[in-house]
Amino acid sequence: MNILVSDKPDRRIAIVSRSYALILKSVKNSDASQSKKPYCAIELVSKSAVQGQDFVKLSANELYGFVGLIEIEGLIFLGAITGKAKVAQPIPGETVNKILTVDFFCLNDASWDFLEIDSSGYPLVPETELSVPGSGSDFQQQQPNDLLPKHPCFELKKLMSNGSFYYSSDFDLTSTLQSRGFGAHSLSADNYEAEYMWNSFLMEEIVTYRDRLDNHAKQILDDEGFLTTVIRGFAETFATHVMEAKVTLTMISKQSWKRAGTRFNARGVDDDANVANFVETELIFYSREYCYAFTEIRGSIPVFWEQDTSLINPKVQITRSIDATQPIFDKHFQRSIEKYGPVHVVNLLSTKSSEIELSQRYRDHLTRSKKLRMNDDVFYTWFDFHKETAQEGFSGVRKVLPLIRDSMLCSGYYAYDVQARKIISEQHGIFRTNCLDCLDRTNLAQQAISLAGFRIFLEDLKFITSNTYIDDDDFVNKHNTLWADNGDQISQIYTGTNALKSSFSRKGKMSLAGALSDATKSVSRMYINNFMDKGKQQNIDTLLGRLPHQQPVQLYDPVNEYVTSQLDTMSDQFTSYSTINIFVGSFNVNGTTQKTDLSSWLFPIGDKFRPDIVVLGLQEVIELTAGSILNADYSKGSFWENMVSDCLNQYHDKYLLLRVEQMSSLLILFFVKSDKAKCVKQVEGATKKTGFGGMTGNKGAVSIRFKYNSTSFCFVNMHLSAGVANVDDRRNDYESILNGISFTRSNTISNHDSIFWLGDTNYRINLRNEEVRKELKSGKESLTKLFHYDQLAQEMKSGAVFQGFNEPDVKFQPTYKYDNGTNTYDSSEKARTPSWTDRIVYKGTNLHPLAYSDAPLLISDHKPIYGAYRAKVKSTNDEEKVKLTKQLFEKYKVMHPDETSSLNSQLLNLGLEGGSNDILSRELPSTIPSSVSLLDMGTESSVSPLKQTPTSLSPSQSVSSIPISNSILQPRRNPSVTAVASPPAEKENVSSASILDPAIAKPNSTNAFRKPLLRPPPPPAFGDTNVETNGNKPRQENIPSVRPHVGNTKPQQSANVSKSVVKNTAHFSSPPPGFTSSMVLTPKNAASGSQTSSTPGPSVSPATKPPTDGISQLTKTNLDGDRSSSQSTSVAPAAHSMDSWQPLQPK
């Protein structure tokens, strides 16, 4: 393929294949409300149609694939693969390419055309353009960075060109060999596994455009290779031998993008049951007689846990209670069981303090699950890797094999008889291996399991006997090298360094050099995790479309525009609003661990107000001494978790702890009613230190955020600088927290619908101590007078802090500072001035305060405070929205019959309407000719459908993103009118014929209906669909499952398979039959691939919307009693009723 550009009449870019051209153009939306959205028109036309339209080559490089569209800084870029190397060939006819270079071309700005980019991302400017006239004859040199900015897509280009991304042009790379079928035609966008398609966000709207076409047009789009599926992971093939049989070994690993990220930025599971570093690895063996495949998976432990980036012994923190985690845990395993069959968990965590808690939680979830059946569809083996390998080294990992042998024999493997063309057996189970990072230990264990499974296959098919020694054979060495290379690649993706223990993986022993190498890698990991991962995570989030307000480039489609605009006016039919009750509390506990009843704080009016959500911020959970800060005792946080949980669950409602976030002495707890837990998604936490210039956590903030249905919330528990006069320091702390706290996908505090700040602000009253105490003795009326001198109120009024936030009237006594255990203000020598240091402020048009007061707890020198709020939350009924969308589309068809029939009309002129010449009615060319063995076929010598001439279109034929009237599509008319206005076509012998091959552009009567080879298109934009195409997949439903360990299974042996046990040490330098020498299969010769440009620098699914759930309304009950104020320095507890919990008026 080539990429062309034309500026007449408007700027357009065309991706030109052998027979068709995909023309794209940036367009502006006339709707002002949608004007900021990136829009693009797309048109599929005959290759000859672009001749005479002033197209010129935009790049000298050949294009090997189109990866999608992305909008950055208001510019729309088209991504394309311009450098690749063939690295793997599982079976003849299936080739895997490593992406070496990806380039981005701008649709709506010519400034980046024909510019070379340096290794820093800046354009290379000729030296003659760098000097500008100065005074006299002197010249002042300007730097290139001063002339042109950095390329907006440079970081994305560097990421996708780092050697960890792969694609295939002739088979479905997202599937396993067993699922796609041996030799089957697997390229269909309907069958791709979206979980492994890393360019799904870039392709989202292109796939949507494809989905709106009928099957004929879809096939054309697929056949021409305009849609490329990109995976991230590893692929490699080695040619070797087993006894006397020439074979190939291939490994393909695919990492899921659903919870993608760097080591400390992506841990555990998310609310959609996706785990970090989830990788599916498949080993494929191919010989003249048989093909074998065995699949394993790895992934982080599916509980909510995190780990800080401390240089030494980073602490593991489980952030959600077992009850709240169980549904997500079950969902993760149910999904795996549905896809793979029974799952055997191999847990390699040790008994170290940092890992034992995770292992125990893992087992607890498995045993208490009501949806998973232990020892039936889930099996569990705990193998302490460090303990078992302590004595005899890493070879001790083989001790795990006897523990899992029964599962290995039951799950089996996929085997195919190449000669007889039938399936021998299938794999009906999976091993799921994990350690902490799912890298080094996991790779060694998976390697041992893989070799054991491979040996069972070789014994079953009589390649070897049970007594054959194979450890020194070449195929075992190649097998080990594949696993070592795989481990290095996956580790590079997750940590930035090669895997530890890879020396043992390759050689079967650990040398001194290997140990020193591991030490170096460990140090490198610490540096990368602390100083480089944040930038890498930003680039990954950009590729996956996870940044705030990032949206896919949308196709300009009048039908879609009509439907979208109508849906906006009908939103009340699929959008509903409900209210939830929120309780927010703050308490500076002064380091106490005194057991007490918290009911007067958490249920100030008894069970008359039982909130749906409870968020509590605690300060000084540990004492603020130098020793306590440096050696924080996090067990005190657990003490408060348990005490709060016990109090909340004293009534009939059950509350689940969804999130705990602690930083030194600061702690925030997030509870939700069990029946509302399903509405809560995307729970995250973040911290920011401000103590001693940001070095310690005695001051700062801990924060959580989440979404309740479609409404986002953020809570910040703060502890600001102390001191009456340190107002500026508190202001600086606030700014540091506001700018320093960020969540995944670059969300900040401000990117939420509802925001709460709570905690010990340390703002004081600007009056002398004696005046304050005197006023407090005067009664309730004095509170209003004192509040005029409150520092926080003054700061908020001036706009210095908490801009746009509200706080209800403060009608409670100052909460600081008391003598411990009394209602008496500080009577010590320091005699601190009573102040309202503990506060709650909020922001959000959907929030309505109900109550704001203190609570009479006497266990600290502060009094706890609380705020009760009613929040309006939004819910979307997805089923109703889809139903309305279909109805609107049908309505549009009735209103515009000519336009909506245009797609089929266009296809009438493509020769696809059926009959004897219908190319889609013909069967696809078989990957394996019936009379030729796979091993007799070279991949290059086999007939490639890409070299055949497909149906050519006349210039008047196109498939556009914009419906075209029926009258325009008749033969012998002018070119079709689309959103991208095109002038009438010129004669065929135009000047642009030097760019486009005229021999291919012209119709060929002989080969006009021969089908071109498919390139891999992406999956549907929204979720997976499993549409089985007729004749494209071998029928397997009637094939009985054959367990590989059954002794009486005797498949027919080829004469070329050695039946004797011969130890063959000869080295085969040439590949086996069916594999050509031009194939690039190993890292040593991978550099000789088809790379056309060098790579500077070092080598997405819409979220599931939560269901709509009924929200309990606040029941108003009239109770007697009112709060009274003490007339002395000693403050008496107040009584509250529901009457006082009417919506309050904020200041």
Side-chain angles (χ1 to χ4, degrees):
M1 290 193 295
N2 291 294
I3 186 165
L4 315 177
V5 64
S6 174
D7 291 323
K8 297 179 181 179
D10 297 303
R11 180 174 175 81
R12 294 168 293 158
I13 289 181
I15 303 173
V16 183
S17 68
R18 286 174 171 79
S19 304
Y20 296 90
L22 194 67
I23 302 178
L24 302 104
K25 175 192 173 185
S26 173
V27 296
K28 293 182 179 180
N29 195 342
S30 58
D31 185 353
S33 63
Q34 307 288 332
S35 60
K36 293 185 178 180
K37 290 185 178 181
Y39 277 88
C40 172
I42 184 171
E43 183 182 13
L44 179 64
V45 299
S46 166
K47 180 177 180 178
S48 59
V50 302
Q51 297 181 2
Q53 297 191 30
D54 297 305
F55 277 98
V56 297
K57 271 194 173 183
L58 183 55
S59 172
N61 299 326
E62 180 181 353
L63 265 62
Y64 301 104
F66 168 47
V67 298
L69 300 168
I70 190 168
E71 181 265 337
I72 298 179
E73 299 175 5
L75 301 177
I76 300 176
F77 288 90
L78 179 155
I81 301 169
T82 55
K84 56 102 174 180
K86 298 179 182 178
V87 293
Q89 184 181 359
I91 61 175
E94 295 186 352
T95 302
V96 182
N97 301 299
K98 176 187 285 189
I99 297 175
L100 300 180
T101 310
V102 172
D103 286 324
F104 289 88
F105 305 93
C106 190
L107 282 182
N108 53 348
D109 189 347
S111 302
W112 296 101
D113 291 354
F114 312 109
L115 287 178
E116 293 187 23
I117 306 299
D118 64 17
S119 59
S120 300
Y122 292 94
L124 293 173
V125 181
E127 293 183 3
T128 56
E129 299 180 21
L130 294 179
S131 57
V132 295
S135 57
S137 60
D138 296 333
F139 290 91
Q140 180 182 4
Q141 289 295 112
Q142 287 189 342
Q143 297 299 320
N145 297 3
D146 299 330
L147 299 175
L148 287 172
K150 189 175 182 178
H151 195 290
C153 295
F154 173 71
E155 295 298 335
L156 203 56
K157 169 186 171 71
K158 188 166 68 171
L159 171 65
M160 297 193 71
S161 304
N162 68 5
S164 65
F165 292 89
Y166 300 80
Y167 77 99
S168 176
S169 299
D170 43 36
F171 77 103
D172 177 10
L173 191 52
T174 67
S175 65
T176 61
L177 180 59
Q178 175 172 310
S179 63
R180 65 179 177 268
F182 184 91
H185 181 82
S186 60
L187 282 180
S188 172
D190 298 321
N191 297 327
Y192 282 100
E193 295 189 30
E195 182 175 10
Y196 302 118
M197 182 181 171
W198 274 70
N199 60 328
S200 58
F201 174 74
L202 276 64
M203 278 290 189
E204 184 173 317
E205 283 292 301
I206 303 296
V207 175
T208 301
Y209 161 65
R210 177 194 178 277
D211 289 344
R212 290 173 185 162
L213 304 176
D214 62 19
N215 291 333
H216 298 317
K218 287 180 182 179
Q219 193 70 52
I220 292 177
L221 200 64
D222 291 347
D223 288 354
E224 290 301 306
F226 291 120
L227 308 181
T228 303
T229 299
V230 175
I231 69 163
R232 194 178 196 192
F234 171 77
E236 190 172 30
T237 293
F238 281 127
T240 181
H241 60 277
V242 177
M243 299 304 128
E244 296 179 355
K246 295 180 180 180
V247 303
T248 59
L249 286 177
T250 300
M251 181 168 290
I252 299 175
S253 286
K254 305 179 287 286
Q255 186 187 55
S256 170
W257 59 265
K258 292 295 185 70
R259 188 162 170 75
T262 53
R263 187 183 182 194
F264 289 106
N265 288 303
R267 293 290 209 190
V269 72
D270 64 14
D271 290 295
D272 294 317
N274 303 304
V275 295
N277 201 21
F278 185 84
V279 181
E280 179 186 87
T281 301
E282 182 181 24
L283 176 72
I284 300 174
F285 160 95
Y286 172 77
S287 73
R288 184 188 299 274
E289 288 77 27
Y290 301 105
C291 185
Y292 157 90
F294 185 74
T295 305
E296 301 178 64
I297 57 176
R298 69 175 75 184
S300 189
I301 293 181
V303 300
F304 293 89
W305 65 279
E306 294 176 354
Q307 195 174 22
D308 59 35
T309 56
S310 302
L311 296 179
I312 300 176
N313 295 327
K315 177 180 172 57
V316 171
Q317 181 183 8
I318 297 177
T319 58
R320 192 174 294 191
S321 67
I322 190 168
D323 291 331
T325 304
Q326 191 68 53
I328 307 299
F329 182 94
D330 292 343
K331 181 180 178 181
H332 172 77
F333 272 97
Q334 286 176 313
R335 188 185 298 162
S336 297
I337 293 167
E338 180 180 353
K339 180 178 180 181
Y340 300 107
V343 177
H344 192 127
V345 174
V346 181
N347 178 20
L348 304 177
L349 292 182
S350 69
T351 55
K352 296 193 302 184
S353 59
S354 59
E355 297 182 0
I356 186 65
E357 185 181 5
L358 266 180
S359 284
Q360 188 60 48
R361 174 63 76 86
Y362 202 171
R363 185 174 183 84
D364 289 346
H365 278 298
L366 287 171
T367 55
R368 66 180 286 157
S369 174
K370 297 180 180 178
K371 296 184 179 180
L372 305 177
R373 296 171 295 176
M374 282 291 289
N375 301 321
D376 187 0
D377 50 19
V378 178
F379 301 84
Y380 179 81
T381 298
W382 185 9
F383 183 80
D384 188 339
F385 182 92
H386 290 321
K387 179 181 178 182
E388 299 296 338
T389 60
Q391 298 298 325
E392 55 190 279
F394 296 142
S395 60
V397 72
R398 296 178 182 175
K399 295 178 184 177
V400 76
L401 298 179
L403 305 177
I404 63 173
R405 183 168 179 80
D406 289 344
S407 290
M408 183 171 292
L409 294 175
C410 290
S411 62
Y413 51 77
Y414 173 79
Y416 183 84
D417 189 324
V418 177
Q419 298 293 329
R421 300 185 190 176
K422 66 179 182 180
I423 297 174
I424 299 173
S425 66
E426 291 185 329
Q427 184 175 347
H428 296 289
I430 198 80
F431 286 98
R432 187 194 192 280
T433 310
N434 73 272
C435 52
L436 197 64
D437 298 321
C438 300
L439 294 175
D440 315 314
R441 288 174 280 178
T442 295
N443 205 67
L444 276 180
Q446 285 192 319
Q447 178 180 347
I449 295 171
S450 174
L451 184 58
F454 189 33
R455 176 164 190 137
I456 292 174
F457 161 76
L458 294 177
E459 292 177 7
D460 287 344
L461 276 298
K462 308 304 181 184
F463 282 90
I464 62 175
T465 69
S466 59
N467 297 322
T468 305
Y469 181 80
I470 62 173
D471 287 1
D472 294 332
D473 283 10
D474 184 67
F475 77 88
V476 175
N477 293 332
K478 292 291 196 301
H479 172 273
N480 294 341
T481 302
L482 282 173
W483 275 104
D485 291 345
N486 176 72
D488 285 345
Q489 182 69 75
I490 301 303
S491 181
Q492 280 281 356
I493 293 172
Y494 200 47
T495 69
T497 72
N498 285 349
L500 308 183
K501 310 174 180 64
S502 59
S503 175
F504 178 84
S505 294
R506 296 180 191 279
K507 303 175 182 178
K509 59 182 179 180
M510 198 68 180
S511 61
L512 177 60
L516 293 176
S517 175
D518 284 356
T520 302
K521 294 172 190 174
S522 297
V523 174
S524 298
R525 283 184 181 181
M526 285 190 287
Y527 173 81
I528 292 170
N529 297 155
N530 282 275
F531 302 106
M532 297 177 64
D533 276 357
K534 186 175 181 180
K536 290 170 63 177
Q537 186 69 48
Q538 179 92 359
N539 298 334
I540 292 172
D541 290 342
T542 301
L543 173 62
L544 300 177
R546 292 175 170 175
L547 299 181
H549 312 303
Q550 194 176 3
Q551 53 191 340
V553 176
Q554 299 184 9
L555 296 183
Y556 181 69
D557 182 352
V559 180
N560 188 50
E561 291 303 307
Y562 168 78
V563 172
T564 301
S565 61
Q566 290 297 309
L567 283 176
D568 289 341
T569 63
M570 303 167 65
S571 61
D572 58 329
Q573 296 186 33
F574 58 85
T575 301
S576 61
Y577 292 89
S578 57
T579 58
I580 59 173
N581 295 323
I582 300 176
F583 182 93
V584 183
S586 175
F587 191 11
N588 186 321
V589 299
N590 194 27
T592 185
T593 53
Q594 179 181 338
K595 190 76 173 178
T596 189
D597 182 10
L598 302 177
S599 298
S600 60
W601 177 33
L602 304 183
F603 294 102
I605 56 173
D607 63 350
K608 302 300 186 298
F609 182 82
R610 287 179 285 185
D612 301 300
I613 288 175
V614 176
V615 178
L616 303 177
L618 305 178
Q619 307 86 42
E620 297 189 27
V621 174
I622 60 175
E623 296 178 3
L624 295 186
T625 63
S628 298
I629 294 172
L630 293 176
N631 300 288
D633 181 8
Y634 283 86
S635 63
K636 292 188 176 181
S638 300
F639 166 81
W640 281 99
E641 290 175 33
N642 296 330
M643 190 158 64
V644 170
S645 180
D646 291 343
C647 182
L648 287 176
N649 288 288
Q650 63 180 296
Y651 298 109
H652 298 297
D653 294 319
K654 183 177 182 181
Y655 287 88
L656 302 179
L657 178 62
L658 288 195
R659 181 77 189 198
V660 178
E661 193 71 26
Q662 184 171 2
M663 179 189 72
S664 188
S665 62
L666 283 166
L667 177 70
I668 190 167
L669 305 174
F670 171 35
F671 289 86
V672 65
K673 271 185 181 178
S674 59
D675 61 329
K676 301 296 190 298
K678 62 181 178 294
C679 302
V680 179
K681 302 290 184 183
Q682 301 178 20
V683 184
E684 301 175 51
T687 63
K688 175 62 180 178
K689 298 176 181 178
T690 60
F692 294 99
M695 297 176 60
T696 62
N698 62 312
K699 295 292 188 291
V702 290
S703 178
I704 61 166
R705 58 93 54 193
F706 59 89
K707 290 192 74 173
Y708 190 100
N709 288 341
S710 301
T711 304
S712 58
F713 290 85
C714 183
F715 293 81
V716 184
N717 175 28
M718 58 185 159
H719 196 182
L720 307 183
S721 297
V724 176
N726 294 331
V727 176
D728 290 340
D729 291 344
R730 288 189 276 276
R731 186 183 304 168
N732 293 334
D733 287 350
Y734 165 77
E735 293 291 341
S736 297
I737 295 168
L738 181 65
N739 299 322
I741 283 185
S742 63
F743 306 95
T744 60
R745 307 181 183 183
S746 299
N747 278 308
T748 62
I749 295 174
S750 302
N751 298 136
H752 294 84
D753 301 317
S754 308
I755 307 170
F756 292 88
W757 287 69
L758 55 141
D760 185 353
T761 67
N762 264 317
Y763 281 107
R764 310 301 172 92
I765 297 176
N766 281 329
L767 287 175
R768 290 187 299 112
N769 185 27
E770 295 79 7
E771 293 182 67
V772 173
R773 293 180 182 245
K774 180 180 179 182
E775 289 294 334
L776 288 174
K777 294 179 180 179
S778 303
K780 264 188 173 182
E781 294 75 13
S782 64
L783 296 180
T784 303
K785 179 180 178 180
L786 285 176
F787 199 76
H788 288 298
Y789 299 93
D790 177 71
Q791 291 178 346
L792 177 58
Q794 293 172 350
E795 287 282 280
M796 291 179 65
K797 186 176 181 179
S798 67
V801 296
F802 300 114
Q803 297 89 344
F805 280 78
N806 298 304
E807 182 184 27
D809 290 337
V810 176
K811 298 180 179 180
F812 52 89
Q813 297 277 345
T815 55
Y816 172 86
K817 174 183 181 180
Y818 293 89
D819 292 336
N820 254 338
T822 70
N823 284 319
T824 304
Y825 285 112
D826 187 13
S827 60
S828 67
E829 293 181 0
K830 294 184 178 180
R832 289 153 175 106
T833 303
S835 299
W836 286 288
T837 59
D838 306 284
R839 308 286 274 276
I840 302 171
V841 297
Y842 69 92
K843 182 179 182 180
T845 57
N846 63 321
L847 297 175
H848 302 280
L850 302 176
Y852 187 41
S853 186
D854 62 348
L857 285 182
L858 305 179
I859 58 175
S860 173
D861 57 354
H862 287 249
K863 289 290 180 64
I865 63 170
Y866 63 84
Y869 303 84
R870 182 176 292 128
K872 184 179 181 181
V873 293
K874 179 181 177 181
S875 303
T876 302
N877 187 329
D878 293 327
E879 293 183 1
E880 184 63 26
K881 186 176 181 180
V882 171
K883 181 180 178 181
L884 284 173
T885 301
K886 292 180 179 179
Q887 292 175 357
L888 289 170
F889 182 74
E890 293 299 324
K891 181 179 178 181
Y892 190 91
K893 288 173 62 177
V894 174
M895 296 167 57
H896 306 83
D898 292 339
E899 293 185 16
T900 53
S901 64
S902 63
L903 290 178
N904 290 330
S905 300
Q906 295 170 60
L907 294 167
L908 291 176
N909 291 327
L910 302 183
L912 304 179
E913 68 276 13
S916 60
N917 290 331
D918 185 358
I919 64 171
L920 293 179
S921 66
R922 297 174 177 263
E923 292 187 6
L924 295 171
S926 174
T927 307
I928 312 167
S930 58
S931 61
V932 184
S933 168
L934 276 174
L935 285 178
D936 294 330
M937 295 174 53
T939 54
E940 302 298 334
S941 61
S942 61
V943 179
S944 173
L946 270 177
K947 298 179 182 179
Q948 305 167 6
T949 305
T951 307
S952 298
L953 302 182
S954 67
S956 64
Q957 297 163 350
S958 70
V959 177
S960 170
S961 64
I962 302 176
I964 307 168
S965 66
N966 209 4
S967 60
I968 297 176
L969 292 163
Q970 301 306 316
R972 304 173 186 173
R973 295 293 181 100
N974 290 333
S976 58
V977 179
T978 70
V980 185
S982 306
E986 304 287 343
K987 295 181 180 179
E988 291 187 20
N989 56 344
V990 292
S991 59
S992 60
S994 59
I995 301 169
L996 308 172
D997 186 353
I1000 299 177
K1002 294 181 179 180
N1004 186 310
S1005 60
T1006 304
N1007 297 321
F1009 297 102
R1010 300 182 68 181
K1011 176 170 285 297
L1013 178 67
L1014 291 170
R1015 289 190 182 223
F1022 303 101
D1024 296 329
T1025 57
N1026 298 317
V1027 179
E1028 184 173 333
T1029 55
N1030 295 330
N1032 290 343
K1033 188 172 181 179
R1035 295 179 62 85
Q1036 301 177 3
E1037 62 272 16
N1038 296 325
I1039 299 174
S1041 174
V1042 180
R1043 298 297 174 91
H1045 62 285
V1046 177
N1048 60 1
T1049 302
K1050 296 182 179 180
Q1052 182 179 355
Q1053 298 296 313
S1054 170
N1056 294 328
V1057 180
S1058 176
K1059 296 183 179 180
S1060 60
V1061 181
V1062 179
K1063 185 177 180 181
N1064 193 334
T1065 58
H1067 177 71
F1068 286 76
S1069 59
S1070 61
F1075 295 82
T1076 65
S1077 58
S1078 63
M1079 282 297 300
V1080 182
L1081 298 176
T1082 64
K1084 294 183 179 179
N1085 56 7
S1088 62
S1090 306
Q1091 183 180 8
T1092 56
S1093 61
S1094 59
T1095 304
S1099 31
V1100 190
S1101 148
T1104 303
K1105 295 186 179 180
T1108 305
D1109 185 41
I1111 307 299
S1112 60
Q1113 303 294 327
L1114 182 67
T1115 304
K1116 297 184 179 181
T1117 309
N1118 294 324
L1119 301 174
D1120 295 332
D1122 192 9
R1123 180 179 58 182
S1124 60
S1125 175
S1126 174
Q1127 301 299 317
S1128 63
T1129 307
S1130 178
V1131 181
H1136 301 285
S1137 71
M1138 284 296 295
D1139 290 339
S1140 64
W1141 284 40
Q1142 304 304 314
L1144 303 180
Q1145 295 299 322
K1147 294 189 297 299

